[in-house]
């Protein structure tokens, strides 16, 4: 019993420490981010590279994937609602389910699987390979040169990709509901606009930014946490991805609770 | 290891060491130019031009766009030297050249490379195992 | 550094920022940020089911929304609404405002303007808002619907009883067959003559009644059909309609009981008919017609009351 209790205590303390370390790391990162002196030519270039690899390179496949999913779901919603005689509620269903919940979540998963995993591996390898020590010797702050640009890139890409997916889904929804009858466009946009009050839009933006933060910050920190052993790199990736997964769902649940309770 | 020996003087020393690898996802040129960009707030154009110049002096123009894993030991050493020069510290310390240049007769290569950048290097020291001392005597 | 990568990223950031900013501005435009608004004041006995932001619709098209709710010194609810400037041409001095609270979905304020040539609605005066009987209490409604569904169950049981094998209807039919056979048979008309004139008269009256009754039933089921089982089912209709259905169904049940009795009567009479009546041809036609009609109604009732499923009508 005593052993069990001490194990439990140990587990809780470990997780608590990991969480506080993560928050502290995030805070330091924010301080670097909001320091205007940070943005010299090298840092800007790294940010550009991160945005390129996270968003631009992934753009075609991401758009294809989000548009197909949106089109399918909207088609299902429209036809089911028509069968049940509830066509009037399709727009609010699309807004409440697809636009504000599913698409941000899907893009978070997309970026987590694509870039989050890559960042986690890269940072872990960099850490094991002593490259960070070389930076330290050259008095280059890796926070500024390596970590912050990745997080900025992640958040910017997340926001950009999610908004593109949402705008795409809005157009698809119009086609799903009205077909190619562009005469209905103004009434459609009007009814959609009424379903999207500013607090909701702001909420989605904040949630998306938090997703972007979670899918980059957590892999970064987790990659740095392992001892300098090459065989522990997969462990770091595994741990980081699990944490990202929990964080994404925590944010999603929190946003749902905030919206509907 | 060498860091502990140097203690506080590490800030005045630019190390060329097997323990301080190049950043693998940057090209040689970027690795060198980065220092100038971050420390001297140089623009990319200036920094890369300076880096390219250093590489040319050491007869290694062609490696500018190569990454760490595509470099030979000697090329890697050249890049590390250029990086150390960019730091503009009073002392350059070459840590265990036997590990940095295992496939050449390094005392000769070292003296050749260091003499080619003689203008850029204020002062340098080589730290090596004592059993390698005869090698250096041989070159002199 | 890679110029093309920089260019692509720059293009991407620029385009997506432009798209997002444009979308947000468009959203603002559609939400009426840049529009002139006209405010009107409505008075209602209470503000139940009214919320700030609730749409104001004219003929199903949103033209404005509720901006604030407050109390007047007299204890009435003051509902401020703002109407888009381009849309207030639809508001006239005789416009009527009412709260529209559907069974499912969000409530809205409905404006009705009957005379589009009357002077425009005053922005300073207050106008009455008809809140109706208040919102619909769904649990209470479900209770009522359940009661009705029980009755429907009883009715369908009755129908099943009437149409059962060896039931009165089948007897009647069997008897009719016997009679018609008998008429075409050897003893044909003479058998008919054996029955008294009185018997025949009673039978004719009965059949006449049946016909009337079945006619009534027909109308009734038609009505029932319309009221209760129109598109979307019971739930489609509001409280009032549901209240109407209840007596109709009770009616239907008593009517069906009557049919039952009548058929038993007819049964007895047709048995007697074997002894004969005056005008067999006419009788046969009457019987046929009456039974046909009864059958039609039964079919109809059966159609919209699938046996055993009556209590599964679901609210969406």
């Amino acid at each position: 019993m005593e052993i069990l209790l001490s194990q439990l205590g140990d587990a809780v303390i470990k997780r608590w420490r990991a969480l506080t370390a993560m928050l502290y790391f995030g805070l330091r990162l924010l301080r670097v981010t909001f320091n205007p002196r940070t943005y010299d030519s090298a840092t800007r270039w790294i940010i550009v590279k991160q945005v390129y690899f996270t968003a631009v390179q992934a753009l075609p496949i991401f758009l294809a994937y989000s548009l197909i999913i949106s089109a399918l779901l909207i088609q299902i919603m429209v036809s089911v609602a028509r069968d049940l005689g509830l066509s009037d509620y399709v727009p609010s269903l699309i807004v409440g389910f697809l636009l504000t919940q599913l698409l941000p979540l899907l893009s978070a998963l997309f970026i987590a699987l694509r870039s989050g995993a890559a960042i986690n591996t890269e940072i872990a390898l960099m850490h094991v390979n002593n490259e960070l020590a070389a930076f330290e010797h050259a008095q280059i702050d890796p926070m500024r040169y390596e970590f912050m640009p990745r997080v900025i890139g992640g958040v910017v890409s997340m926001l950009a990709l999610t908004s593109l997916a949402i705008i795409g889904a809005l157009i698809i929804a119009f086609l799903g509901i009205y077909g190619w009858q562009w005469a209905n466009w103004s009434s459609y946009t009007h009814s959609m606009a009424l379903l999207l009050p500013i607090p909701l839009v702001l909420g989605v933006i904040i949630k998306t930014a938090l997703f972007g933060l979670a899918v980059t910050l957590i892999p970064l920190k987790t990659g740095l946490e392992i001892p300098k052993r090459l065989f522990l790199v997969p462990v770091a990736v595994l741990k980081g991805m699990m944490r990202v997964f929990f964080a994404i769902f925590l944010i999603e649940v929190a946003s749902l609770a905030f919206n509907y309770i | 290891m060498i860091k502990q020996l140097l203690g506080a003087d590490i800030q005045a020393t630019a190390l060329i060491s097997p323990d301080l690898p190049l950043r693998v996802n940057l090209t040689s040129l970027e690795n060198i130019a980065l220092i100038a960009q971050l420390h001297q707030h140089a623009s990319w154009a200036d920094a890369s031009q300076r880096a390219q110049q250093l590489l040319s002096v050491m007869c290694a123009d062609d490696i500018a766009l190569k990454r760490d894993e595509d470099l030979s030991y000697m090329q890697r050493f050249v890049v590390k030297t250029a990086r150390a020069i960019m730091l503009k510290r009073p002392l350059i310390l070459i840590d265990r050249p036997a590990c940095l240049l295992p496939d050449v007769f390094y005392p000769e290569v070292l003296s050749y490379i260091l003499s080619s950048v003689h203008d850029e290097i204020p002062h340098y020291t080589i730290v090596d195992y004592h059993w390698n001392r005869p090698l250096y005597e041989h070159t002199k | 550094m890679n110029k093309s990568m920089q260019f692509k990223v720059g293009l991407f950031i620029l385009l997506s920022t432009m798209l997002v900013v444009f979308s947000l501005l468009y959203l603002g435009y559609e939400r009426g940020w840049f529009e002139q608004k006209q405010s009107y004041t409505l008075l209602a006995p209470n503000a139940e089911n009214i919320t700030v932001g609730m749409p104001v619709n004219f003929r199903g098209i949103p033209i404005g929304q509720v901006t604030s709710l407050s109390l007047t010194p007299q204890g009435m609810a003051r509902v401020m609404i703002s109407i888009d400037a381009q849309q207030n041409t639809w508001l006239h001095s005789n416009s009527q405002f009412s709260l529209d609270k559907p069974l499912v979905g969000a409530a809205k304020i409905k404006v009705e303007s009957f005379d589009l040539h009357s002077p425009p609605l005053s922005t300073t005066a207050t106008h009455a808002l008809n809140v109706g009987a208040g919102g619909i209490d769904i649990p209470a409604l479900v209770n009522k619907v359940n009661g009705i569904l029980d009755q429907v169950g009883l009715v369908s049981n009755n129908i099943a009883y009437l149409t059962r094998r060896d039931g009165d209807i089948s007897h009647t039919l069997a008897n009719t067959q016997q009679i018609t056979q008998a008429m075409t048979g050897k003893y044909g008309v003479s058998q008919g003559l054996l029955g008294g004139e009185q018997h025949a008269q009673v039978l004719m009256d009965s059949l006449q009644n049946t016909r009337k009754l079945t006619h009534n039933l027909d109308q009734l089921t038609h009505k029932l059909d319309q009221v209760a089982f129109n598109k979307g089912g019971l739930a489609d209709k509001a409280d009032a309609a549901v209240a109407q259905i209840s007596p109709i169904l009770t009616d239907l049940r008593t009517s069906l009981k009557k049919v039952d009795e009548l058929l038993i009567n007819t049964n007895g009479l047709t048995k007697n008919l074997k002894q004969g009546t005056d005008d067999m041809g006419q009788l046969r036609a009457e019987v046929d017609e009456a039974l046909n009609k009864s059958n039609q109604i039964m079919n109809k009732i059966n159609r919209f009351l699938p046996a055993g499923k009556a209590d599964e009508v679901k609210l969406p």
Side-chain angles (χ1 to χ4, degrees):
Chain A
M1 189 64 199
E2 217 181 298
I3 298 167
L4 211 72
L5 274 181
S6 61
Q7 273 176 348
L8 179 74
D10 191 44
V12 169
I13 288 169
K14 259 191 197 159
R15 276 170 183 67
W16 177 250
R17 284 213 179 118
L19 185 70
T20 48
M22 186 75 72
L23 291 179
Y24 179 68
F25 184 79
L27 222 67
R28 276 207 301 158
L29 197 128
L30 281 184
R31 219 171 39 214
V32 173
T33 309
F34 289 109
N35 183 354
R37 286 167 50 117
T38 302
Y39 298 92
D40 51 33
S41 64
T43 314
R44 281 203 305 269
W45 167 231
I46 299 281
I47 294 177
V48 166
K49 244 174 25 177
Q50 283 304 319
V51 174
Y52 180 80
F53 287 122
T54 317
V56 181
Q57 209 181 43
L59 189 64
I61 186 94
F62 174 79
L63 275 188
Y65 144 99
S66 72
L67 288 183
I68 288 172
I69 287 181
S70 309
L72 275 177
L73 285 175
I74 287 166
Q75 201 50 48
I76 291 170
M77 285 179 200
V78 168
S79 64
V80 169
R82 207 165 271 160
D83 289 349
L84 294 176
L86 297 173
S87 293
D88 291 354
Y89 304 104
V90 169
S92 61
L93 196 61
I94 288 173
V95 168
F97 173 65
L98 194 67
L99 297 195
T100 59
Q101 305 299 338
L102 196 67
L103 286 178
L105 185 67
L106 285 179
S107 16
L109 286 177
F110 185 87
I111 292 184
L113 291 174
R114 199 178 176 281
S115 302
I119 289 174
N120 203 333
T121 319
E122 193 186 8
I123 297 288
L125 283 174
M126 211 197 283
H127 173 63
V128 171
N129 197 21
N130 261 335
E131 285 171 49
L132 292 176
F135 269 5
E136 204 182 300
H137 174 69
Q139 286 187 312
I140 294 170
D141 185 5
M143 187 64 90
R144 172 173 157 190
Y145 184 69
E146 291 289 346
F147 307 156
M148 187 276 291
R150 285 183 167 72
V151 174
I152 298 255
V155 174
V156 167
S157 312
M158 182 72 204
L159 284 171
L161 290 185
T162 309
S163 33
L164 289 181
I166 287 177
I167 292 169
L170 277 170
I171 295 168
I172 294 258
F174 173 78
L175 296 179
I177 297 172
Y178 294 102
W180 295 97
Q181 311 294 318
W182 294 102
N184 296 313
W185 178 253
S186 75
S187 83
Y188 169 76
T189 50
H190 193 73
S191 67
M192 276 297 176
L194 290 180
L195 289 168
L196 286 166
I198 296 313
L200 184 71
V201 175
L202 277 182
V204 172
I205 292 174
I206 290 171
K207 181 171 84 167
T208 312
L210 279 179
F211 274 149
L213 210 60
V215 299
T216 45
L217 186 66
I218 293 174
L220 260 174
K221 177 75 179 112
T222 317
L224 288 174
E225 273 174 5
I226 51 164
K228 287 187 178 175
R229 292 286 174 272
L230 208 52
F231 75 94
L232 287 177
V233 170
V235 178
V237 176
L238 174 153
K239 239 165 115 181
M241 289 292 101
M242 279 316 283
R243 285 180 180 178
V244 167
F245 182 76
F246 280 126
I248 286 176
F249 276 88
L250 207 67
I251 294 169
E252 182 62 33
V253 167
S255 92
L256 282 175
F258 194 74
N259 271 356
Y260 293 102
I261 296 179
Chain B
M1 186 187 77
I2 198 87
K3 280 189 209 162
Q4 276 103 47
L5 289 175
L6 282 167
D9 292 334
I10 188 93
Q11 298 305 334
T13 313
L15 269 177
I16 302 171
S17 162
D19 292 340
L20 300 176
L22 299 175
R23 183 74 188 84
V24 290
N25 73 347
L26 298 180
T27 61
S28 307
L29 197 69
E30 284 170 330
N31 258 300
I32 302 163
L34 178 66
I35 311 284
Q37 281 180 288
L38 287 172
H39 282 305
Q40 286 107 46
H41 303 289
S43 70
W44 164 250
D46 293 347
S48 61
Q49 196 191 357
R50 172 129 179 72
Q52 186 66 55
Q53 198 187 336
L54 275 177
L55 286 177
S56 319
V57 171
M58 289 185 274
C59 305
D61 290 290
D62 54 328
I63 61 167
L65 297 179
K66 283 189 179 170
R67 287 191 165 74
D68 180 74
E69 309 216 303
D70 303 323
L71 301 176
S72 68
Y73 287 108
M74 203 150 85
Q75 288 167 333
R76 191 170 297 127
F77 180 78
V78 164
V79 179
K80 282 185 181 177
T81 308
R83 192 172 67 167
I85 291 169
M86 283 300 237
L87 275 173
K88 295 192 172 161
R89 290 184 186 170
L91 177 70
I92 285 182
L93 199 147
I94 302 160
D95 177 19
R96 288 167 291 160
C99 299
L100 289 164
L101 296 164
D103 58 350
V104 285
F105 181 60
Y106 65 85
E108 219 167 62
V109 174
L110 266 183
S111 65
Y112 171 71
I113 292 177
L114 291 173
S115 65
S116 69
V117 282
H118 185 260
D119 301 340
E120 313 275 352
I121 297 184
H123 186 63
Y124 71 88
T125 308
I126 298 169
V127 180
D128 206 342
Y129 298 108
H130 66 83
W131 55 82
N132 286 334
R133 189 183 294 274
L135 294 175
Y136 293 92
E137 277 157 8
H138 179 80
T139 37
K140 282 170 192 172
Chain C
M1 286 209 192
N2 186 332
K3 283 283 169 212
S4 99
M5 192 191 279
Q6 274 179 317
F7 174 75
K8 278 183 197 164
V9 170
L11 190 72
F12 171 73
I13 297 284
L14 185 75
L15 283 185
S16 46
T17 311
M18 270 168 53
L19 198 62
V20 167
V21 168
F22 174 76
S23 308
L24 287 179
L25 286 179
Y26 195 60
L27 173 75
Y29 164 77
E30 286 291 352
R31 285 186 73 82
W33 290 353
F34 313 114
E35 265 177 44
Q36 291 284 313
K37 297 271 188 178
Q38 195 71 61
S39 233
Y40 296 92
T41 313
L42 307 181
L43 274 186
N46 63 62
E48 275 173 39
N49 295 316
I50 303 176
T51 51
V52 171
M54 179 189 279
V56 177
N57 284 10
F58 175 71
R59 303 202 171 151
I61 311 281
I63 57 169
Q65 57 184 6
V66 175
T67 50
S68 75
L69 297 172
S70 56
L71 283 171
T72 64
Q74 289 79 35
M76 300 278 277
R78 184 194 291 124
V79 181
M80 301 288 288
I81 57 171
S82 74
I83 304 291
D84 304 344
Q86 336 156 314
Q87 305 279 21
N88 66 1
T89 50
W90 305 112
L91 299 185
H92 293 274
S93 57
N94 62 353
S95 289
Q96 292 189 350
F97 295 89
S98 58
L99 179 66
D100 181 16
K101 173 94 181 83
L103 182 58
V104 179
K108 47 192 170 289
I109 288 179
K110 219 164 72 177
V111 189
E112 276 160 293
S113 301
F114 301 103
D115 180 7
L116 293 178
H117 300 291
S118 55
L121 191 69
S122 151
T123 51
T124 47
T126 56
H127 314 281
L129 168 64
N130 180 12
V131 292
I136 291 170
D137 184 1
I138 292 188
L141 184 78
V142 167
N143 265 342
K144 276 184 191 167
V145 169
N146 271 341
I148 292 163
L149 290 177
D150 284 347
Q151 292 196 4
V152 170
L154 285 176
V155 172
S156 65
N157 280 346
N158 260 333
I159 293 167
Y161 174 77
L162 284 175
T163 54
R164 72 193 186 278
R165 189 192 283 267
D166 299 331
D168 294 323
I169 288 184
S170 9
H171 276 160
T172 315
L173 285 170
N175 284 338
T176 315
Q177 211 177 6
Q178 278 178 1
I179 295 165
T180 47
Q181 266 175 0
M183 273 168 55
T184 53
K186 204 167 164 186
Y187 304 105
V189 184
S190 62
Q191 212 175 44
L193 287 171
L194 282 173
E197 201 158 305
Q198 269 183 333
H199 269 144
Q201 193 50 53
V202 171
L203 179 66
M204 296 309 270
D205 288 351
S206 285
L207 284 171
Q208 200 60 41
N209 275 342
T210 318
R211 221 163 21 168
K212 261 190 213 157
L213 189 81
T214 49
H215 179 68
N216 283 343
L217 254 179
D218 199 5
Q219 281 185 331
L220 195 124
T221 49
H222 190 66
K223 215 152 115 195
L224 187 69
D225 211 4
Q226 273 190 334
V227 172
F229 297 93
N230 227 349
K231 281 177 242 161
L234 281 174
D236 225 26
K237 299 287 166 186
D239 222 347
V242 171
Q244 271 179 9
I245 296 168
S246 184
I248 292 176
L249 285 172
T250 321
D251 242 34
L252 178 61
R253 202 143 52 96
T254 43
S255 306
L256 283 170
K257 269 190 184 144
K258 272 189 198 161
V259 176
D260 198 5
E261 283 163 21
L262 250 165
L263 284 170
I264 290 168
N265 257 339
T266 322
N267 206 358
L269 282 168
T270 46
K271 267 183 192 157
N272 289 339
L273 265 181
K274 284 180 191 164
Q275 273 95 55
T277 186
D278 276 331
D279 195 342
M280 293 307 266
Q282 195 198 342
L283 180 72
R284 188 192 158 190
E286 300 264 82
V287 169
D288 270 359
E289 195 191 332
L291 285 176
N292 251 342
K293 239 181 183 163
S294 296
N295 257 348
Q296 275 174 4
I297 292 166
M298 300 304 161
N299 279 340
K300 208 166 178 183
I301 293 174
N302 266 334
R303 242 201 337 268
F304 67 75
L305 290 178
K309 284 194 174 168
D311 47 356
E312 278 182 17
V313 175
K314 275 182 192 156
L315 285 175

